[in-house]
Amino acid sequence: QDRLVESGGGAAEPGGSLTLSCEIFGYIYKNRCVGWFRQVPGKEREGVAAIDRQGKVTYADSVRGRFTISQNNAQTMISLQMNSLNVEDTAMYYCAADSNYVPCMVVMTTTPRRNWGQGTQVTVRS
């Protein structure tokens, strides 16, 4: 059964760092996108970062240069290293996965609920 299990997150001060991890069960598509989106109550999902089977990564403009997504060799886990955090990064972060029916960052904002993890809160405050 396809399943995503997130860990990490929590609270950090502005300028600080946090790491999120997502363990991937299933999702054995030949062409697959895995990544993260975030959501603030009352706002649309925002794709954050994504990676495909070939290791191609894409980032939202708002996090490029500060966040780094990576996956292990077995492609069963991804991580999101978040540096230089600011208060605008505060959100619930979800791991998501699906086939790459559209570009990966679009997958992050369109894949249905069944393809999300449970979410992990990231709060950046002084």
Side-chain angles (χ1 to χ4, degrees), residues 33 36 46-50 58-61 102-110:
C33 295
W36 303 88
E46 178 189 13
V48 173
T58 52
Y59 296 98
D61 289 343
V102 290
C104 282
M105 284 296 281
V106 182
V107 171
M108 293 299 107
T109 58
T110 59

Side-chain angles (χ1 to χ4, degrees), residues 2-75:
D2 296 339
R3 191 162 59 99
L4 303 166
V5 180
E6 297 133 338
S7 59
E13 294 184 346
S17 299
L18 288 171
T19 302
L20 306 181
S21 295
C22 175
E23 192 166 7
I24 304 161
F25 298 90
Y27 291 102
I28 60 173
Y29 310 119
K30 179 180 179 180
N31 298 306
R32 184 186 74 181
C33 295
V34 185
W36 303 88
F37 70 88
R38 62 190 181 186
Q39 193 162 33
V40 175
K43 293 190 176 181
E44 297 288 323
R45 270 191 267 178
E46 178 189 13
V48 173
I51 187 167
D52 66 14
R53 290 271 191 202
Q54 289 69 45
K56 178 183 176 183
V57 299
T58 52
Y59 296 98
D61 289 343
S62 59
V63 308
R64 188 175 293 110
R66 300 188 298 120
F67 291 11
T68 303
I69 188 171
S70 60
Q71 65 184 349
N72 64 353
N73 289 336
Q75 299 188 353

Side-chain angles (χ1 to χ4, degrees), residues 86-122:
N86 56 58
V87 293
E88 289 76 27
D89 295 317
T90 296
M92 185 71 80
Y93 284 70
Y94 294 89
C95 179
D98 207 336
S99 64
N100 59 345
Y101 54 93
V102 290
C104 282
M105 284 296 281
V106 182
V107 171
M108 293 299 107
T109 58
T110 59
T111 190
R113 182 65 183 88
R114 64 179 180 271
N115 292 328
W116 308 358
Q118 77 276 14
T120 186
Q121 179 67 37
V122 171

